[in-house]
Amino acid sequence: MYAIDDWDGWSIMALSCGAVCRPAEVLREIESFGSSTSPIRVDTDAGEGFLKSVGNPMGSSILVSELVAGELAAWIGLKVPPFAIINDCQIDLIMQRNGAKMAPPLFFSSAVDGTPHDGGDTFLSRLREPGDVALLVVFDTWVRNWDRFSDGHDNADNLLYVKAEGRRKYDLVPIDHSGCFIGDDADFPMAPAPNAWVFDPNVYGKFPAFDPYIDAKSVKRAVGRLSHLQRDFVVEVVNSVPAQWGFGPNAALSLVDLVCERAEYVVNTISGRLVDEPEIPGLVK
């Protein structure tokens, strides 16, 4: 379940993990991958998807990032694939990169049929909701997601265009949020959150092809959504991280502080970095 809201000051927030899909059983392995986090595509009783596990070559921090960023992406209104935690697995799943066996609880992200970002406007020009472009950039900047697009790094595979059901339009669907929050660091630090992270001035997720689709109105709407973030919700999200992932209370507090303080920073600064003439609240044009 995503946030139910009108973004005019009132919102009901609920966790999204397991709300749309609830896989209870892994039926078979489909394909393993040798990428940095060694995911495995599987079939479950709730459909196909991708698993990530503790013991992966990048450490447990990527699982925390996947779960927390997934919740925040769903809350802000992005169309992320349904995701869940699988607490039991009766078959052996061996990660290709390091030969380690996957161990529950596993992070599961549903497979979607989409086309990766092509670097142009083939699909951008056919989006059902063009405002999602600005929303994605605001989100990626908020969570410091360097692994989609940042200076010197372009990973178009982490952004899909999915055909909207019954339409000739497409939806913007971001995937893979294992590279959020901590940048190149190996793990989350103890509280408080580092100022270099909170006040990181970089803009993330802004592919060059996005520029014509980012305007003052869509940026204002995205910033307005982010301005409604409540700390109690962030605490609930962070507290949903499984204890088996080794995410201690001090690191959890640091992440809560980072998410909330960075949201305030982005709300106050990003408009001028995305558009030349940001809309001024209350000004009638």
Side-chain angles (χ1 to χ4, degrees):
M1 182 182 297
Y2 293 171
I4 305 171
D5 62 318
D6 60 11
W7 296 114
D8 288 327
W10 175 86
S11 65
I12 297 174
M13 293 168 288
L15 296 184
S16 295
C17 184
V20 176
C21 69
R22 298 180 179 89
E25 183 180 3
V26 180
L27 303 176
R28 64 187 177 94
E29 177 180 332
I30 298 174
E31 183 180 4
S32 64
F33 299 89
S35 55
S36 59
T37 58
S38 289
I40 298 179
R41 182 166 183 158
V42 297
D43 190 17
T44 76
D45 57 335
E48 293 185 10
F50 299 88
L51 293 178
K52 293 181 180 179
S53 169
V54 293
N56 75 83
M58 298 302 290
S60 297
S61 61
I62 66 102
L63 302 177
V64 177
S65 294
E66 284 278 20
L67 179 58
V68 174
E71 290 284 4
L72 298 179
W75 169 82
I76 205 171
L78 289 168
K79 299 173 181 66
V80 291
F83 57 96
I85 300 296
I86 297 181
N87 291 304
D88 185 38
C89 183
Q90 297 299 316
I91 64 175
D92 288 346
L93 298 171
I94 306 301
M95 289 179 275
Q96 183 182 134
R97 187 157 181 173
N98 61 2
K101 179 181 175 181
M102 283 193 164
L106 305 167
F107 180 83
F108 173 85
S109 180
S110 296
V112 295
D113 185 12
T115 303
H117 177 60
D118 61 356
D121 65 353
T122 304
F123 298 100
L124 286 170
S125 62
R126 299 171 65 185
L127 285 179
R128 176 167 55 160
E129 297 182 21
D132 283 353
V133 174
L135 186 63
L136 177 63
V137 175
V138 169
F139 168 76
D140 274 351
T141 301
W142 171 30
V143 299
R144 302 182 71 235
N145 183 18
W146 61 269
D147 196 26
R148 198 167 355 254
F149 186 90
S150 59
D151 186 23
H153 184 84
D154 184 337
N155 189 358
D157 288 342
N158 282 354
L159 180 63
L160 301 179
Y161 297 98
V162 177
K163 195 168 186 179
E165 186 174 354
R167 304 190 183 192
R168 296 182 178 180
K169 297 286 188 177
Y170 288 82
D171 287 326
L172 194 70
V173 178
I175 62 172
D176 193 347
H177 295 101
S178 57
C180 297
F181 303 115
I182 63 177
D184 293 332
D185 287 70
D187 211 342
F188 290 89
M190 302 302 177
N195 283 339
W197 294 4
V198 174
F199 303 112
D200 178 0
N202 294 306
V203 172
Y204 296 91
K206 187 172 177 283
F207 291 94
F210 281 2
D211 288 349
Y213 297 90
I214 298 176
D215 57 23
K217 183 177 180 180
S218 61
V219 172
K220 178 184 177 183
R221 180 171 174 79
V223 169
R225 291 185 176 188
L226 183 54
S227 71
H228 284 89
L229 184 70
Q230 298 175 18
R231 185 178 178 89
D232 287 349
F233 173 67
V234 178
V235 170
E236 184 180 4
V237 168
V238 173
N239 283 343
S240 73
V241 173
Q244 296 91 326
W245 292 354
F247 194 57
N250 285 328
L253 177 59
S254 176
L255 180 54
V256 170
D257 286 345
L258 173 63
V259 170
C260 294
E261 293 172 14
R262 183 148 179 84
E264 182 179 2
Y265 172 75
V266 171
V267 164
N268 290 332
T269 63
I270 197 168
S271 296
R273 288 181 281 163
L274 296 183
V275 290
D276 293 332
E277 297 182 6
E279 284 196 357
I280 300 175
L283 179 64
V284 179
K285 291 188 176 181

